[in-house]
Amino acid sequence: MRAAVVNAFGGPEVVEVVEAEVPEPGARQVRIKVAAAALNPVDAGVRAGVFGGAGKRIGLGWDVAGTVDAVGVGSAWTVGDQVVALDYGMVKPLGTHAEYVVVDTDAAAKAPVTVDAVHAATLPLNALTAVQALDRLELTPGQSLLVTGAAGAVGGYAVQLAAHRGIPVTGLAREADGELVRSLGATPAVDAAIGAGGFDAVLDAAVLGEPALAWVRDGGAYIGVIPQAQPGSVRGVRTGAVEVSADGRRLAELVRLVDEGVLTTRVAETFALDEATKAHARLAEGGVRGRLVLVP
């Protein structure tokens, strides 16, 4: 099968599409024939060597939508099931940017029925990150939330999830993205218009760090999206960062919200798997709204 990998760290040019053995599922695992797999900033980090692994062949891709085509002993899935899944892991020999991928049975959920596989592939990593970050904030209906990077993939899902929970949301984004942010359920804002200490909590999807911390009230909460990279606590503000985890049960809840119209999946552009280098170059250009998706 074909798979996108890196054998050396660097820019988009180091991404290679190589021939690899089709993986076999072990106990409580499933093999998915990949229909679509999103490209995320974490893949660029892996490609650049941010997470280590020098000297190894490293597979790319965390998100997958596709069809179960083989199951291991103890799997809850059946060949032919349409699923989405998160294949967590920074340094792994194969990722979801391939024709087949093996994941733990508990990492998968039934695919949405209201969107195609390309759109479904944008859900697992970004929506799970958003909902797990919101859970860490422990907000109750009526408390105020600022989401930075509200026009991005994680930020957009966080806005919609928080609004669905009855939490008033302000979305920090570029002025040009104001209408998009409003359509997701937040009051749009630019940083110059935000006063210090005005929010019960900040979900910092844009990874602003200390500037975002200043917008939290005394005794409030801040959550980032890069593990161990949150700013230190000041003014009694509780700080932390979410490290996303594969959770098929929670992913199934997010799928339900897609099918109910609560969550909006956004695709910026699709690329063939053989165009993985081109997709990485587009991601590096910035300004992407929605996700780039690879299709084998």
Side-chain angles (χ1 to χ4, degrees):
M1 71 165 190
R2 292 169 300 136
V5 304
V6 293
N7 289 296
F9 299 137
E13 71 280 355
V14 303
V15 178
E16 303 177 53
V17 177
V18 302
E19 287 295 324
E21 290 189 12
V22 176
E24 294 296 331
R28 295 189 56 75
Q29 290 185 321
V30 295
R31 185 173 68 207
I32 300 170
K33 180 176 173 55
V34 179
L39 174 64
N40 290 283
V42 69
D43 295 305
V46 171
R47 183 200 73 219
V50 172
F51 306 107
K56 299 179 180 179
R57 186 183 78 175
I58 303 173
L60 301 169
W62 291 45
D63 285 317
V64 61
T67 305
V68 172
D69 94 314
V71 297
V73 175
S75 171
W77 298 100
T78 302
V79 171
D81 285 340
Q82 304 295 308
V83 296
V84 289
L86 175 64
D87 180 26
Y88 177 89
M90 307 292 183
V91 181
K92 52 196 177 186
L94 291 172
T96 64
H97 296 170
E99 293 182 282
Y100 296 89
V101 66
V102 167
V103 302
D104 291 342
T105 187
D106 294 337
K110 284 189 177 181
V113 298
T114 56
V115 298
D116 61 18
V118 170
H119 283 80
T122 69
L123 187 69
L125 174 59
N126 296 290
L128 280 170
T129 299
V131 76
Q132 290 171 9
L134 283 173
D135 290 346
R136 291 277 300 275
L137 289 174
E138 300 178 340
L139 292 171
T140 56
Q143 288 189 295
S144 60
L145 171 68
L146 174 68
V147 176
T148 72
V154 173
Y157 282 133
V159 166
Q160 291 186 310
L161 288 164
H164 185 61
R165 295 181 180 187
I167 297 166
V169 188
T170 298
L172 179 65
R174 297 183 307 178
E175 190 170 350
D177 290 320
E179 286 307 308
L180 169 61
V181 170
R182 195 184 307 278
S183 74
L184 296 172
T187 300
V190 294
D191 56 4
I194 299 175
F199 296 91
D200 293 309
V202 168
L203 195 163
D204 189 16
V207 198
L208 300 180
E210 290 187 4
L213 185 64
W215 295 320
V216 184
R217 65 165 173 81
D218 294 358
Y222 166 103
I223 192 79
V225 295
I226 298 182
Q228 312 304 320
Q230 70 271 19
S233 176
V234 294
R235 300 179 289 105
V237 175
R238 175 171 55 89
T239 66
V242 64
E243 180 169 2
V244 69
S245 60
D247 185 337
R249 180 189 61 80
R250 206 63 191 281
L251 184 55
E253 296 173 2
L254 296 166
V255 166
R256 176 178 58 80
L257 293 177
V258 170
D259 285 337
E260 291 177 355
V262 174
L263 292 181
T264 304
T265 57
R266 293 182 288 150
V267 174
E269 195 173 349
T270 59
F271 296 82
L273 178 61
D274 289 337
E275 297 178 309
T277 302
K278 183 179 177 182
H280 275 257
R282 174 65 189 94
L283 181 64
E285 290 173 3
V288 177
R289 289 296 173 259
R291 278 288 170 250
L292 307 175
V293 180
L294 297 176
V295 179

